[in-house]
Amino acid sequence: MSGLSLVFTADIDVFDEEALRRAACAQASKEGLTEEGWASLRQGIASDLIMLLDPGSIPGAGFEIRHSTCEASGGGA
């Protein structure tokens, strides 16, 4: 296994916060969280983005996201 470590940065524009919230809730459900469970963990739009963009370990893909953070600017933090 290689010791290679990378940092990936992306600027993301959210044009429909409600659609993002619904998609994150659906993904949380696929990962075994109840709607109430996801609501208790969710801390706004940043949590929604992490839920959708950080798959963690993907079998056979050769990588794992060890840690992710999201900073939101504007109204949806």
Side-chain angles (χ1 to χ4, degrees):
M1 177 190 278
S2 170
L4 182 63
S5 181
L6 304 166
V7 175
F8 174 77
T9 303
D11 287 323
I12 299 170
D13 291 327
V14 175
F15 55 88
D16 188 340
E17 291 180 30
E18 184 58 26
L20 177 63
R21 186 198 62 75
R22 286 191 310 268
C25 187
Q27 183 62 34
S29 177
K30 287 180 186 176
E31 294 184 14
L33 289 169
T34 64
E35 190 170 338
E36 296 79 20
W38 171 240
S40 72
L41 296 172
R42 184 180 181 271
Q43 296 179 352
I45 194 170
S47 298
D48 295 337
L49 284 169
I50 289 173
M51 176 56 71
L52 293 170
L53 299 177
D54 183 351
S57 179
I58 302 171
F63 79 99
E64 177 181 8
I65 296 174
R66 291 178 283 132
H67 177 73
S68 61
T69 60
C70 179
E71 295 178 21
S73 62

